Amino acid sequence: MSDWSSKNPYLGVMSEKPLLTSTASTKETRHMVMQLGDSGLTYKAGDALGIIPENPQELVEDLLGLLGFSGDELVETHVGEADLRNALTHKFEVHRLCKKFINGLGHKFVVSGPEVTVRLVGRTRTSLSTGENTLSWDWSGDEDDYPSDFLPVGVSSDPARELWEGLVNDAKAMEDYLWSRDYIDFLADFPSLSFTPQEFVDNLDRLKPRLYSIASSPDAHPGAVELTVAIVRYHHHGREKGGLCTIYMADHAALNDASIPMFMSPTRSFVLPADGSTDIIMVGPGTGIAPFRAFLEQREFDGATGRNWLFFGDRTEADEYLYRDELEAWRKSGHIDKLDLAWSRDPNVPKTYVQNLMAKHGEEIWQWIETGAYFYVCGDKNYMAKDVHQTLIDIAEQYGGMSPDDAKEFIEKRMMKEEKRYLRDVY
Ligand SMILES: Cc1cc2nc3c(=O)[nH]c(=O)nc-3n(C[C@H](O)[C@H](O)[C@H](O)COP(=O)(O)OP(=O)(O)OC[C@H]3O[C@@H](n4cnc5c(N)ncnc54)[C@H](O)[C@@H]3O)c2cc1C
Ligand SMILES: NC(=O)c1ccc[n+]([C@@H]2O[C@H](COP(=O)([O-])OP(=O)(O)OC[C@H]3O[C@@H](n4cnc5c(N)ncnc54)[C@H](OP(=O)(O)O)[C@@H]3O)[C@@H](O)[C@H]2O)c1
């Protein structure tokens, strides 16, 4: 046992991070190997590893420059006092703009003209002409010095305030605005705003650890944890951007340098059947393959006699067949009894998702389930896992001779809750 946790992470070493996708791929998925050294950290197939990333140094320096701070200013954070550079690097997420920050700007919008100061304080306004409650204001100045909507023709309004109002009053506009922007983009759009160091950090999102399903068995790779990581990269507003943790691991974490804060996140539910003679069906497209590589390694190490059926998929066979050599070797050796591959953007085959192949093999899936097989799903929660879930219900209905309601109850109540042999690791 070890005491490492998200609050007290082990500083581990990444020893390798080769590409799993080809250099021609439209995606970048990497195999990352972390060495556990003398940490005492242990895990089992099915567990996840937590990584605590940091914001890129250049981004923090650019932000400090634009804000006019040295970085040495002290600020109060949720974990105590820190200098601003440290806070922006380790305590908050500054790679993406957050809603709380935008919502918290109300007190900043001061419209000033000759003898006019207007502070927007809420989202409802009292219309001066009708008395209707739509937006409330407080202001100081003369009676006829009204907010800009009511300013006389020829007096210009503040575009930054208009932009801000548009965002806080329209959830879709807010979502679109936040999607592609960070604080550097924000400062460009709101050049007139200034902040004290404390004001700037007060409404930032706290930096959160990220979890990664472990792709290795501890018996096959003693002392190491292996991950399958899809790197999030995108280009918006003239700059390269990306996911906080994946960019940190892909671009900034040096190999063989004991500096990556990590901890174990054990699972109680997403585990292999205790009886090795039980068959298992695994559905894991994209990075969803990770825990199934661990399961397959573990079952091989254990000499488990149950059959293994894997559904994997990604964009193309040529460029995104993750772990091709290992999976093909297992198929050849018979360790993988059945391997079904779904390519969604392969010019050589019709667009196929894993659930299409499940439906095609529905009768055989049902036979495996009827004889006690476990059914596992890993990967995208929002689309893939929902479609796979429905396909499983359809299979129970079609081949189990059940009504739609009974099929749903069989999958969701009996298999999932009572027998605990329909298990999901979705994110
Ligand atoms: C239990 C569990 C297991 C997981 N296992 C794995 C795993 O094995 N492998 C793996 O790769 N991930 C896994 N994840 C996901 C992982 O934890 C991270 O969420 C993922 O790596 C992204 O983290 P990030 O910090 O790089 O991105 P973040 O900084 O968190 O950013 C991701 C966000 O960026 C935004 N985004 C994405 N594309 C664009 C775009 N083009 N333009 C604008 N915004 C965009 C989206 O809002 C997206 O949600 C797992 C998650 C959980 C909860
Ligand atoms: N909830 C989340 O935030 C979340 C979850 C998973 C992945 N991601 C992110 O997405 C990126 C890539 O992830 P990934 O490589 O694991 O997988 P992925 O890109 O999501 O997809 C892997 C395969 O699944 C296919 N797919 C898409 N929709 C599907 C559906 N409804 N049913 C079945 N298959 C479907 C994809 O096809 P097409 O792309 O051709 O449609 C692709 O062939 C990463 O950046 C990861 O962090 C985010």
Side-chain angles (χ1 to χ4, degrees), residues 321-338:
Y321 188 173
L322 313 183
Y323 302 111
R324 174 200 292 264
D325 291 350
E326 293 177 24
L327 297 183
E328 291 297 337
W330 275 328
R331 166 151 61 182
K332 205 164 159 212
S333 73
H335 182 50
I336 293 184
D337 297 85
K338 291 179 72 69

Side-chain angles (χ1 to χ4, degrees), residues 106-107 109-122 124-151 161:
H107 67 288
F109 289 98
V110 175
V111 175
S112 46
E115 300 159 351
V116 183
T117 306
V118 181
R119 285 176 65 236
L120 182 61
V121 294
T124 52
R125 167 173 54 197
T126 302
S127 160
L128 297 175
S129 52
T130 65
E132 277 171 32
N133 273 335
T134 50
L135 197 68
S136 70
W137 301 81
D138 75 355
W139 68 88
S140 62
D142 294 338
E143 283 257 307
D144 52 353
D145 292 333
Y146 298 136
S148 67
D149 289 12
F150 307 94
L151 289 177
R161 184 175 66 85

Side-chain angles (χ1 to χ4, degrees), residues 27-200:
K27 293 173 78 171
E28 177 183 339
T29 305
R30 290 183 179 272
H31 182 68
M32 297 186 168
V33 181
M34 309 292 180
Q35 299 298 334
L36 297 176
D38 59 2
S39 65
L41 283 167
T42 57
Y43 67 97
K44 62 185 177 303
D47 286 349
L49 184 74
I51 301 281
I52 304 178
E54 62 183 43
N55 288 289
Q57 217 179 320
E58 319 84 82
L59 180 65
V60 171
E61 293 307 324
D62 286 352
L63 208 43
L64 287 171
L66 285 169
L67 288 162
F69 301 141
S70 72
D72 298 333
E73 299 84 352
L74 291 179
V75 288
E76 201 53 51
T77 78
H78 51 290
V79 282
E81 196 178 60
D83 69 63
L84 185 60
R85 178 172 287 100
N86 179 0
L88 295 181
T89 306
H90 297 288
K91 318 289 183 213
F92 299 103
E93 304 212 344
V94 297
H95 70 304
R96 279 168 73 81
L97 197 52
C98 75
K99 189 150 100 185
K100 190 168 59 151
F101 184 87
I102 300 285
N103 280 336
L105 293 173
H107 67 288
K108 290 273 173 198
F109 289 98
V110 175
V111 175
S112 46
E115 300 159 351
V116 183
T117 306
V118 181
R119 285 176 65 236
L120 182 61
V121 294
R123 292 199 210 170
T124 52
R125 167 173 54 197
T126 302
S127 160
L128 297 175
S129 52
T130 65
E132 277 171 32
N133 273 335
T134 50
L135 197 68
S136 70
W137 301 81
D138 75 355
W139 68 88
S140 62
D142 294 338
E143 283 257 307
D144 52 353
D145 292 333
Y146 298 136
S148 67
D149 289 12
F150 307 94
L151 289 177
V153 180
V155 177
S156 68
S157 60
D158 174 4
R161 184 175 66 85
E162 280 175 14
L163 171 58
W164 179 81
E165 273 183 42
L167 297 177
V168 296
N169 290 311
D170 179 343
K172 177 74 173 63
M174 174 74 96
E175 195 186 315
D176 289 348
Y177 188 78
L178 296 177
W179 171 254
S180 60
R181 288 176 175 80
D182 61 12
Y183 291 90
I184 291 181
D185 301 315
F186 163 82
L187 290 171
D189 284 348
F190 292 86
S192 54
L193 294 189
S194 61
F195 297 86
T196 64
Q198 189 64 49
E199 268 179 331
F200 188 74

Side-chain angles (χ1 to χ4, degrees), residues 271-278 280 299 302 304 374 376:
V271 292
L272 278 166
D275 179 351
S277 68
T278 306
I280 62 173
R299 300 253 284 186
D302 294 343
Y374 275 44
Y376 297 91

